Amino acid sequence: MTASGSGATTHSARGAAHREVIVETDGGSRGNPGPAGYGAVVYSADHGMVLDERREYLGVTTNNVAEYHGLIAGLTAAGELGAESVQVRTDSKLVVEQMSGRWKVKHAALIPLADRAREVAAGFARVSYDWIPRARNTHADRLANEAMDDAASVAETTDDTSTDLADGERARSRRTDDGPEAGAGRAPSMWHGGGWTATTGRPTRLLLLRHGQTELSVQRRYSGRGNPPLTEQGRHQASRAAERLSLEAGVAAVVSSPLARARETAQVVASALETSVEVHNGLIETDFGAWEGLTFAETARRDPELHTRWLGDPATAAPGGESFDQVRERVDAARRDLVDRYPGTTVVVISHVTPIKTLLQLALDVGPSLLYRLHLDLASLSLAEFYPDGGSSVRLVNDTSYL
């Protein structure tokens, strides 16, 4: 066995190119959503030789997301073998019907996966999709279960998920309705358990999304309590971020700053997650007072001594505005409120650069220098976790890979 990619395991028999192959795939989730994995097998055209097999543990996601990952892995393996014609066999009616074009891909979580599968499939002269009963898909099924068993070596928490795995749970929770309205999945790359943090229990996961672009951000002006709308680019950024966040399963709430740019971004995300937006005043941007709408250079010319002091002292406030210490106080109160109301769940928070930096500062338990040294792009995503025992960790900072 050789490792390929993040947590993926492959085994292949290389040699002369096989122009016609059979690909059998499977994916499952123990909980739906729950610990998930896929398996994919590439056979020779007569089904007599295994040419390649792949499996991967995906973290916590749904059956249908896992099924699509299995399809993509199987098609990719076939392409690497030089195949020109591929017969795909799977026990997922959803995948067969959607990839054959008879069902629309309606759920936002599956759209990018289906697009990726079609992109890989376009590299072949011919691809067909056939449904087979699970009893005839045993090899891929076994690989998918082995991938889910791999979770025991990945999860290092004491939460219910790792306990179930330690007990050796084998049976997968499969869908009862494999139809076009199947559920979303949580992005696998962001679930890792406690690790080095030595914390216990299930954390409240705050997915921190900065709002999209506005005209003031284009002009690099202080934008605090003003209410500029998103630009066309900002709306595009919000849509891409929503597509990314639609891969998150079990989101308990979408919470936004009250300002228009954040609420507009949040509404796009909430629509993708098929939920509503909760407004929390504690997540509002810093009040820059008289500096609102000015550039850095204009502010420095207007109040040179105060501006210099403000840049190095979190207790100093802008004229008629608030200090970063005051921001920290209200943001910490908002954090405690969210953790209390949504314990052990995932909450998407749409806010601004200073509140998001402050939440990361709180999670890292570091001083105010982080506020001045950390860069966060527009529509970037970060992840902070807060545990019931008081511990915390930061999993992700300033991710813009989806934009």
Side-chain angles (χ1 to χ4, degrees):
M1 292 286 183
T2 58
S4 174
S6 176
T9 301
T10 69
H11 178 76
S12 61
R14 301 293 179 184
H18 295 263
R19 294 185 176 180
E20 297 183 7
V21 299
I22 297 170
V23 171
E24 293 181 356
T25 73
D26 195 22
S29 170
R30 293 171 178 163
N32 199 31
Y38 69 75
V41 191
V42 184
Y43 291 96
S44 57
D46 61 0
H47 207 265
M49 180 186 299
V50 173
L51 305 176
D52 202 335
E53 61 179 29
R54 301 190 176 190
R55 74 170 193 256
E56 184 175 5
Y57 171 62
L58 296 173
V60 176
T61 189
T62 63
N63 288 322
N64 290 328
V65 168
E67 296 278 14
Y68 262 107
H69 277 287
L71 172 64
I72 293 167
L75 290 173
T76 300
E80 292 174 359
L81 288 165
E84 298 176 1
S85 177
V86 180
Q87 180 185 8
V88 175
R89 298 175 179 175
T90 174
D91 60 39
S92 171
K93 185 173 179 62
L94 177 82
V95 168
V96 170
E97 296 299 321
Q98 289 183 343
M99 292 303 295
S100 298
R102 293 185 288 271
W103 285 357
K104 292 183 179 180
V105 185
K106 294 183 178 180
H107 204 290
L110 301 182
I111 291 173
L113 296 174
D115 287 345
R116 176 56 182 158
R118 293 190 187 98
E119 180 182 342
V120 179
F124 303 103
R126 178 179 179 274
V127 180
S128 63
Y129 299 93
D130 297 306
W131 179 86
I132 57 175
R134 197 178 311 165
R136 290 176 52 195
N137 200 26
T138 56
H139 194 148
D141 179 89
R142 172 176 57 81
L143 290 173
N145 271 287
E146 288 175 356
M148 286 183 277
D149 289 341
D150 288 344
S153 63
V154 175
E156 298 177 357
T157 67
T158 58
D159 63 21
D160 294 339
T161 300
S162 60
T163 300
D164 289 343
L165 292 168
D167 289 341
E169 177 189 7
R170 296 286 300 183
R172 276 185 291 166
S173 171
R174 300 292 292 227
R175 60 201 164 273
T176 56
D177 175 11
D178 199 15
E181 298 300 332
R186 172 171 152 190
S189 62
M190 298 173 72
W191 184 85
H192 296 290
W196 289 100
T197 60
T199 54
T200 59
R202 186 185 295 275
T204 298
R205 305 168 70 247
L206 300 185
L207 285 164
L208 309 172
L209 178 66
R210 189 183 175 195
H211 62 79
Q213 183 191 81
T214 70
E215 285 297 337
L216 288 183
S217 57
V218 171
Q219 299 168 15
R220 302 182 66 83
R221 296 180 179 276
Y222 285 119
S223 180
R225 301 298 174 85
N227 236 1
L230 297 181
T231 62
E232 182 177 351
Q233 174 64 12
R235 291 188 291 273
H236 173 72
Q237 291 169 336
S239 296
R240 295 304 298 269
E243 183 178 288
R244 161 65 187 82
L245 287 166
S246 69
L247 298 176
E248 294 288 326
V251 171
V254 174
V255 184
S256 173
S257 154
L259 295 176
R261 55 193 183 275
R263 295 183 67 170
E264 189 176 352
T265 303
Q267 189 56 60
V268 178
V269 172
S271 295
L273 289 168
E274 299 179 353
T275 188
S276 58
V277 177
E278 173 188 332
V279 173
H280 199 304
N281 290 331
L283 299 171
I284 197 169
E285 179 58 292
T286 308
D287 185 349
F288 293 113
W291 296 345
E292 178 74 22
L294 300 181
T295 66
F296 185 95
E298 289 169 347
T299 307
R301 287 196 297 270
R302 181 187 188 278
D303 299 298
E305 293 183 7
L306 178 60
H307 191 251
T308 298
R309 189 165 70 254
W310 177 77
L311 288 173
D313 179 11
T316 298
E322 64 180 335
S323 69
F324 288 141
D325 280 349
Q326 291 172 311
V327 175
R328 178 186 173 111
E329 184 176 349
R330 64 173 169 80
V331 169
D332 192 23
R335 176 196 65 82
R336 293 194 304 271
D337 179 48
L338 293 176
V339 171
D340 287 344
R341 289 193 291 122
Y342 300 105
T345 63
T346 298
V347 178
V348 176
V349 173
I350 294 89
S351 187
H352 312 266
V353 63
T354 310
I356 292 175
K357 284 184 178 182
T358 301
L359 286 164
L360 294 172
Q361 179 191 11
L362 291 165
L364 291 168
D365 192 22
V366 296
S369 62
L370 178 141
L371 298 175
Y372 307 105
R373 298 182 182 181
L374 177 64
H375 175 79
L376 294 178
D377 287 297
L378 291 161
S380 63
L381 187 65
S382 301
L383 170 60
E385 295 181 335
F386 297 92
Y387 288 79
D389 65 359
S392 58
S393 63
V394 171
R395 299 285 186 189
L396 185 73
V397 176
N398 198 43
D399 179 22
T400 58
S401 60
Y402 46 85
L403 296 178

